[in-house]
Every structure is written in C-alpha cells, then in structure tokens.
C-alpha cells in the first residue's frame, strides 16, 4: 500500500507519513475539524526512485503503475467520502524533516492548491517529490548541516476549503515570548496571502483567560481565492478593508481550540486555520519555535 487515509495516519510511523500529516491525523483522532484527505506515503517516493534508477532528476520519470493505481483509488474514495464529484484538493509535501529541533524545512518544499483532476494530481505529487531535491532545500540543509535527503517525504492530499477567512494562531506571543498571550493574524480568502506577506492582516492579542488585550485593523488590500485552476488575486472591497474579518465569537472559538491543541501537545503551538460558513478547519499545527516558513 502506497496510500493511507488521514484518519488512520496517526497510527503510522512518522517517517512514513511525515510530520505535517502525522500531526493532523492526531488532531482528527482528538475530534478537531480537519479537512478530509489521504497521504501518499514516503515509500512511494522510494519505490519510484528505485524503479527509475534515479538519484535526483525525477520530473520526466514514470510513476510505477501500482503507485498510480493506489493513488487513483484513494482519490476516488475521497470523492465518495466528501460527496464531491468535482473535488478540489490541496497537495502538500509532508516530510519528517519539517519540524526538526533547531531546523524547520517548512516552507522549503512544494505546495499546490485547487487541483481538480487526476492528471494534475499526479503532476502535483511529482512536484512535491521534486522539491526534496531543489536548490532551496539543498542550500538550507547545508546551512543547517543536515542531509535533507535522509528524511523521507510523503505527500498530503486534502479537500480544499474555499475559506471566507484564514489565518495563523500562536498559542504564545512569538515576539515577546509571553506564554500567557495568544496571537491571531487573519485576513479574507486563503491563508497563503498572509504567510507570504502579500497582505497586512488583522491582528489580535488575547490573554488565555479569553480577554482582549489588543487588536489592530489590517489593510487587507487583497485576497487569494480559488480560480478555475490554482488561485487568483482579488481586490478586497472598501467595506472589507474597514472592518475586522473575524467576529468576537469566531475569535473566542479560535482561542479555545488553540488552548486545547496546546494542552494536547504540551508545548506552544503555531496553528493555521480556515473558516468557511462559520466552521473552523485546522490546516496545520507545529511547535511555535520551529516556524520557518509555509508550505
């Protein structure tokens, strides 16, 4: 088997499914709302490399039929589970190297949004695999004196959430290191606009006793939304720019969910979230201290 459902990935070896998928699978087991999905396990990449006698150049090589058939079957199961025949998925790398102590490869690997058909899905999986050998990863690995290729790469495939609002929550203040404060940055549309620095988000600071400390209105000058394929930029309205993108009720819900995750992991967490139709979805969680980028 070269795929495993996200629901059962918490029982897998972290080297087989990668850090990102493993942590999300744990949250699924704890009944957090996480988009449905599956993982192409790291042994799929290893099998692909052996089959094609490859060391690095993988883009033109053919994926073994048993791997492609396994991914196709998992993709069809996901369509049935989500009841979406025209399912849009996000394809993200999930490497065991992403949250190493003293080095985070998060943001170094590939991520593809709004994938709507199987050929594009397979192309996206290969893009994730290829990113393991990118110059960016090699340079970062050399800087940290780590052999990145020694850490297996899986690929996480999840149902896309066409978010009304997205953002990032830190269960401790990452600037002041105050562990009694929760910081939330949020804006309209997809969260990639925030983590890539494309917009100035709304910013909120709470005490863990659920009291406001401070809030700043961001300009939120644009938002990223899904297009026919991939994402596109849309200018926000003056009304959107002039009001906060999260309600008090949504903010308090985010604080409560973040406190639960911090209690579960027993350390401060950095959480990426999306809100659609007033439902909060958890897209990623990692230790605060390792945040080095986004993918």
């Amino acid at each position: 088997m070269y795929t495993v459902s996200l629901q059962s990935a918490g029982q897998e070896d972290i080297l087989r499914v990668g850090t990102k998928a493993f942590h999300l699978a744990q949250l699924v087991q704890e009944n957090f709302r996480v988009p449905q999905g599956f993982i192409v396990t790291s042994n799929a990449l290893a099998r692909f490399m052996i089959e094609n006698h490859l060391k690095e150049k993988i883009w033109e090589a053919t994926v073994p039929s048993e791997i492609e058939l396994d991914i196709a079957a998992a993709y069809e199961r996901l369509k049935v589970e989500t009841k979406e025949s025209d399912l849009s998925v996000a394809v993200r790398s999930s490497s065991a190297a992403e949250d190493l102590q003293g080095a985070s490869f998060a943001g170094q690997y590939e991520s593809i949004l709004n994938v709507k058909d199987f050929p594009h899905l397979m192309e996206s999986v290969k893009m994730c695999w290829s990113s393991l050998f990118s110059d960016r990863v090699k340079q970062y690995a050399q800087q940290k004196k780590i052999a990145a290729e020694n850490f297996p790469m899986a690929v996480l495939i999840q149902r896309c959430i066409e978010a009304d609002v997205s953002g990032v929550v830190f269960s401790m203040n990452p600037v002041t290191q105050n562990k009694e404060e929760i910081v939330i940055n949020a804006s309209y549309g997809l969260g990639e606009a925030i983590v890539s620095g494309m917009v100035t988000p709304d910013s909120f600071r709470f005490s863990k006793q659920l009291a406001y400390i401070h809030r700043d209105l961001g300009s939120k000058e644009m938002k990223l939304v899904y297009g026919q394929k991939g994402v596109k930029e849309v200018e926000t309205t003056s009304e959107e720019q002039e009001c906060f993108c999260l309600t008090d009720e949504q903010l308090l819900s985010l604080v409560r969910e973040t406190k639960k995750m911090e209690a579960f992991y027993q350390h401060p967490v950095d959480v990426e979230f999306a809100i659609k139709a007033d439902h909060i979805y958890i897209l990623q969680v990692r230790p605060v201290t390792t945040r080095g980028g986004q993918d």
Side-chain angles (χ1 to χ4, degrees):
M1 289 286 289
Y2 294 100
T3 62
V4 60
S5 71
L6 185 59
Q7 190 168 5
S8 60
Q11 311 302 320
E12 296 285 338
D13 188 320
I14 198 167
L15 293 176
R16 182 169 150 82
V17 298
T19 304
K20 182 186 288 108
F22 185 79
H23 287 164
L24 285 177
Q26 289 180 315
L27 293 185
V28 171
Q29 292 172 341
E30 293 297 312
N31 296 315
F32 288 90
R33 191 187 296 270
V34 175
Q36 295 157 283
F38 65 95
I39 299 105
V40 181
T41 57
S42 59
N43 58 316
L45 174 56
R47 172 81 173 83
F48 170 76
M49 300 288 283
I50 292 169
E51 179 79 12
N52 290 282
H53 308 288
L54 296 173
K55 289 187 176 179
E56 292 184 12
K57 296 181 179 179
I58 70 176
W59 188 247
E60 299 302 325
T62 301
V63 176
S65 59
E66 63 266 35
I67 295 177
E68 187 164 312
L69 288 170
D70 203 350
I71 295 173
Y75 184 49
E76 290 304 315
R77 283 195 298 272
L78 186 58
K79 288 182 180 180
V80 172
E81 290 168 6
T82 59
K83 300 178 181 178
E84 295 182 29
S85 57
D86 58 344
L87 178 67
S88 171
V89 296
V91 182
R92 303 178 188 272
S93 62
S94 182
S95 167
E98 286 181 50
D99 290 322
L100 296 175
Q101 188 66 35
S104 173
F105 281 79
Q108 308 297 321
Y109 301 123
E110 193 60 75
S111 182
I112 304 93
L113 301 178
N114 198 23
V115 175
K116 290 190 169 182
D117 57 58
F118 186 68
H120 191 197
L121 173 59
M122 290 307 302
E123 177 185 309
S124 301
V125 168
K126 288 178 74 175
M127 286 176 69
C128 287
W129 285 348
S130 296
S131 67
L132 180 62
F133 306 102
S134 69
D135 289 340
R136 180 171 62 176
V137 168
K138 288 179 184 177
Q139 289 168 6
Y140 185 77
Q142 288 172 358
Q143 177 188 338
K144 296 294 182 179
K145 296 181 172 58
I146 292 170
E149 63 272 15
N150 291 341
F151 292 91
M153 175 181 282
V155 179
L156 173 62
I157 296 160
Q158 288 180 281
R159 178 171 70 93
C160 280
I161 303 300
E162 196 167 356
D164 301 319
V165 175
S166 298
V168 180
V169 187
F170 300 91
S171 71
M172 63 175 281
N173 190 315
V175 177
T176 66
Q177 306 297 303
N178 186 342
K179 292 186 177 182
E180 295 306 310
E181 287 185 7
I182 289 178
V183 176
I184 302 172
N185 296 321
S187 191
Y188 300 109
L190 306 176
E192 281 70 15
I194 296 175
V195 296
S196 63
M198 297 172 71
V199 297
T200 305
D202 293 337
S203 182
F204 309 85
R205 278 191 292 134
F206 278 82
S207 73
K208 287 187 175 173
Q209 287 68 47
L210 305 183
Y212 267 127
I213 296 175
H214 191 71
R215 61 179 184 172
D216 285 317
L217 183 68
S219 53
K220 306 182 297 294
E221 50 268 53
M222 54 77 71
K223 60 185 174 182
L224 287 178
V225 299
Y226 292 125
Q228 284 294 102
K229 182 178 180 180
V231 300
K232 62 181 180 180
E233 295 183 19
V234 175
E235 188 175 334
T236 50
T237 66
S238 57
E239 182 180 1
E240 287 175 320
Q241 294 172 13
E242 290 165 8
C243 69
F244 287 100
C245 64
L246 291 172
T247 65
D248 287 350
E249 185 177 346
Q250 289 171 332
L251 285 164
L252 291 174
S253 294
L254 280 168
V255 170
R256 292 189 190 101
E257 291 290 280
T258 301
K259 288 175 65 177
K260 288 179 190 175
M261 281 180 270
E262 182 181 64
F264 174 70
Y265 285 109
Q266 294 293 294
H267 59 66
V269 292
D270 164 2
V271 179
E272 293 169 22
F273 70 88
I275 297 178
K276 177 67 177 176
D278 222 28
H279 291 303
I280 296 172
Y281 294 86
I282 306 304
L283 305 182
Q284 188 158 314
V285 60
R286 64 165 68 98
V288 166
T289 53
T290 63
R291 187 174 186 86
Q294 163 69 20
D295 73 303

